[in-house]
Short mmCIF file of all heavy atoms in Angstrom, two decimals:
data_model
loop_
_atom_site.label_atom_id
_atom_site.label_comp_id
_atom_site.label_asym_id
_atom_site.label_seq_id
_atom_site.Cartn_x
_atom_site.Cartn_y
_atom_site.Cartn_z
N VAL A 11 105.41 85.18 113.82
CA VAL A 11 106.85 85.19 114.05
C VAL A 11 107.54 85.67 112.78
O VAL A 11 107.33 85.06 111.71
CB VAL A 11 107.36 83.80 114.45
CG1 VAL A 11 108.86 83.85 114.69
CG2 VAL A 11 106.63 83.30 115.69
N VAL A 12 108.30 86.72 112.88
CA VAL A 12 109.01 87.26 111.72
C VAL A 12 110.45 87.58 112.10
O VAL A 12 110.80 87.63 113.28
CB VAL A 12 108.33 88.54 111.18
CG1 VAL A 12 106.93 88.23 110.67
CG2 VAL A 12 108.30 89.63 112.23
N GLN A 13 111.26 87.81 111.08
CA GLN A 13 112.65 88.19 111.32
C GLN A 13 112.77 89.71 111.36
O GLN A 13 111.91 90.43 110.83
CB GLN A 13 113.54 87.62 110.22
CG GLN A 13 113.61 86.10 110.22
CD GLN A 13 114.63 85.58 109.23
OE1 GLN A 13 115.05 86.27 108.30
NE2 GLN A 13 115.05 84.33 109.42
N PRO A 14 113.82 90.22 111.99
CA PRO A 14 114.03 91.68 112.00
C PRO A 14 114.04 92.24 110.58
O PRO A 14 114.60 91.63 109.67
CB PRO A 14 115.40 91.81 112.66
CG PRO A 14 115.51 90.62 113.55
CD PRO A 14 114.84 89.52 112.79
N GLY A 15 113.38 93.38 110.42
CA GLY A 15 113.30 94.01 109.11
C GLY A 15 112.06 93.66 108.32
O GLY A 15 111.75 94.33 107.33
N GLU A 16 111.36 92.62 108.73
CA GLU A 16 110.16 92.20 108.02
C GLU A 16 108.93 92.99 108.49
O GLU A 16 109.04 93.84 109.38
CB GLU A 16 109.95 90.70 108.19
CG GLU A 16 111.04 89.88 107.52
CD GLU A 16 110.78 88.38 107.55
OE1 GLU A 16 110.01 87.92 108.39
OE2 GLU A 16 111.36 87.67 106.70
N SER A 17 107.79 92.67 107.87
CA SER A 17 106.57 93.43 108.14
C SER A 17 105.44 92.51 108.58
O SER A 17 105.43 91.32 108.27
CB SER A 17 106.13 94.17 106.87
OG SER A 17 107.10 95.09 106.44
N LEU A 18 104.49 93.10 109.29
CA LEU A 18 103.25 92.45 109.65
C LEU A 18 102.13 93.48 109.62
O LEU A 18 102.37 94.67 109.85
CB LEU A 18 103.30 91.84 111.06
CG LEU A 18 104.00 90.51 111.27
CD1 LEU A 18 104.09 90.19 112.75
CD2 LEU A 18 103.29 89.40 110.52
N ARG A 19 100.93 93.00 109.35
CA ARG A 19 99.76 93.88 109.41
C ARG A 19 98.77 93.30 110.40
O ARG A 19 98.24 92.20 110.18
CB ARG A 19 99.10 94.01 108.05
CG ARG A 19 97.97 95.05 108.00
CD ARG A 19 97.14 94.86 106.77
NE ARG A 19 96.30 96.00 106.47
CZ ARG A 19 95.22 95.92 105.69
NH1 ARG A 19 94.87 94.77 105.13
NH2 ARG A 19 94.50 97.01 105.45
N LEU A 20 98.53 94.00 111.47
CA LEU A 20 97.57 93.57 112.47
C LEU A 20 96.19 94.14 112.13
O LEU A 20 96.07 95.25 111.62
CB LEU A 20 97.98 94.04 113.85
CG LEU A 20 99.39 93.66 114.33
CD1 LEU A 20 99.58 94.12 115.78
CD2 LEU A 20 99.64 92.18 114.18
N SER A 21 95.17 93.35 112.45
CA SER A 21 93.79 93.79 112.27
C SER A 21 93.04 93.63 113.58
O SER A 21 93.37 92.78 114.41
CB SER A 21 93.08 92.95 111.20
OG SER A 21 93.71 93.07 109.96
N CYS A 22 92.03 94.46 113.75
CA CYS A 22 91.17 94.38 114.94
C CYS A 22 89.74 94.60 114.48
O CYS A 22 89.40 95.70 114.02
CB CYS A 22 91.58 95.43 115.95
SG CYS A 22 90.40 95.66 117.31
N THR A 23 88.93 93.56 114.60
CA THR A 23 87.53 93.66 114.20
C THR A 23 86.69 94.00 115.42
O THR A 23 86.79 93.34 116.46
CB THR A 23 87.06 92.33 113.59
OG1 THR A 23 87.89 92.02 112.47
CG2 THR A 23 85.62 92.44 113.12
N ALA A 24 85.86 95.03 115.28
CA ALA A 24 85.09 95.53 116.41
C ALA A 24 83.59 95.26 116.23
O ALA A 24 83.08 95.24 115.10
CB ALA A 24 85.32 97.03 116.55
#
Side-chain angles (χ1 to χ4, degrees):
V11 180
V12 296
Q13 294 187 341
E16 294 186 339
S17 299
L18 281 173
R19 187 195 196 200
L20 305 185
S21 299
C22 168
T23 302

